[in-house]
Amino acid sequence: METDNYAYRSALRDTEPARKTVFSLTTLIICISGNSPVLSLFIFFTMVFIILVINRTPWKVLLRMLKAPMVFLLIGVLTLALDISSDKSVFLRTVHIGKFFIGTTGEGLRRAVILFLKSMSSVTCLYFLSLSTPLTDILSVMKKAHIPPLFTEIMSLVYRFIFIIMESIGQIYTAQDSRLGYVSLTQSFKSMASLISSCLIKSLKKSNDFYTSLEARGYTGTLNVLPRTYSRNRKLTALFILADSAALIILIISRTTGLF
């Protein structure tokens, strides 16, 4: 839920969400389309600059958010970097186990680096959108893009219900912990099972109450809210266009000449 808090407090909160969404998705598409390490690094550092300097997100927050995908990717790319063969000559570095050699080849290492950099760059594109644009603004963009209302409203209801579930889990866990419910491993498993079952019952009850409250307020299948007034920052728009143009040029050069 921390991401949502920083999105509401971001310096780009009042900037038109459509521009931020288009920039984020366009940059993401350019990043996925290329296999150039230079392109991935350019997009990564550009997005980090925008998040930290322009959006004014604390660097510790961004670093903490990048740790999870970074660790996951480091484990995942090992499957590309490492290979098994009986021929030692194909590897740059090897470990001898029985009749086989486990090591990395130049091509395998290159694929692993490209995948890691591309994935991290793609993550920063999505982080920019999530740290600068609350979900309510993203839903308004989806409505303008003529996404089916049923889909956007289900997203909105599920998103709001997450906070209710988290609050229930916190209350149940605090009650269990105050009664030494997690004093041992065996007791922890019992308490966790009780927490899950209680949370399921509470979530069903709260969902019924939630729907009843919507009907009491005249809900007929469509959630109507007053639109916000957003600012159109021309300098920021120019920066978005410049960044995507530079990324597109790097993509074209890398594909046509293979320099990058």
Side-chain angles (χ1 to χ4, degrees):
M1 301 301 103
E2 185 181 26
T3 304
D4 196 69
N5 293 331
Y6 283 105
Y8 276 101
R9 292 185 294 171
S10 71
L12 300 179
R13 169 68 174 89
D14 295 327
T15 303
E16 191 176 21
R19 302 191 181 198
K20 294 182 288 184
T21 304
V22 170
F23 170 66
S24 177
L25 296 181
T26 302
T27 311
L28 178 63
I29 293 173
I30 295 174
C31 181
I32 295 175
S33 301
N35 289 320
S36 168
V38 175
L39 174 64
S40 299
L41 288 173
F42 173 78
I43 293 176
F44 177 83
F45 286 111
T46 300
M47 283 299 182
V48 169
F49 172 80
I50 294 175
I51 292 172
L52 297 181
V53 178
I54 299 179
N55 195 54
R56 298 178 187 173
T57 302
W59 66 270
K60 291 183 179 179
V61 175
L62 180 60
L63 182 62
R64 185 165 61 250
M65 292 178 65
L66 288 174
K67 284 182 180 179
M70 187 179 297
V71 173
F72 175 78
L73 285 171
L74 286 175
I75 297 174
V77 297
L78 287 177
T79 59
L80 293 176
L82 298 180
D83 201 354
I84 301 176
S85 176
S86 57
D87 186 8
K88 182 180 179 180
S89 61
V90 299
F91 295 116
L92 299 176
R93 294 288 186 272
T94 61
V95 175
H96 188 203
I97 300 178
K99 296 181 180 180
F100 298 95
F101 296 93
I102 300 178
T104 179
T105 63
E107 181 61 25
L109 190 61
R110 177 179 174 276
R111 290 199 306 267
V113 171
I114 289 175
L115 176 62
F116 178 79
L117 294 178
K118 183 189 292 189
S119 300
M120 290 301 299
S121 301
S122 301
V123 166
T124 56
C125 295
L126 298 178
Y127 278 174
F128 161 72
L129 185 62
S130 61
L131 288 170
S132 64
T133 313
L135 183 65
T136 53
D137 292 351
I138 296 176
L139 291 176
S140 67
V141 175
M142 295 174 66
K143 289 181 180 179
K144 291 180 180 178
H146 301 290
I147 302 296
L150 178 62
F151 182 74
T152 57
E153 288 171 10
I154 289 176
M155 283 184 61
S156 177
L157 293 174
V158 170
Y159 174 73
R160 296 179 186 278
F161 198 66
I162 289 175
F163 294 92
I164 299 175
I165 297 298
M166 293 294 292
E167 182 182 1
S168 299
I169 292 175
Q171 292 174 351
I172 296 172
Y173 178 84
T174 301
Q176 290 178 332
D177 191 38
S178 63
R179 294 173 175 82
L180 303 179
Y182 296 92
V183 69
S184 64
L185 182 61
T186 303
Q187 189 64 32
S188 296
F189 280 119
K190 291 181 180 179
S191 299
M192 184 61 66
S194 175
L195 186 149
I196 293 173
S197 60
S198 299
C199 184
L200 177 61
I201 296 172
K202 278 183 169 291
S203 63
L204 290 174
K205 183 179 183 302
K206 285 184 178 293
S207 64
N208 291 329
D209 294 340
F210 192 32
Y211 184 73
T212 301
S213 65
L214 285 174
E215 285 189 319
R217 290 168 173 81
Y219 177 70
T220 58
T222 303
L223 294 173
N224 297 315
V225 295
L226 295 175
R228 283 175 54 88
T229 302
Y230 301 101
S231 63
R232 297 183 177 182
N233 192 328
R234 295 183 178 180
K235 292 182 179 180
L236 184 63
T237 303
L239 176 63
F240 289 166
I241 295 174
L242 180 63
D244 277 344
S245 299
L248 189 60
I249 291 173
I250 295 174
L251 174 63
I252 295 173
I253 293 176
S254 64
R255 284 199 166 189
T256 55
T257 65
L259 292 177
F260 304 138

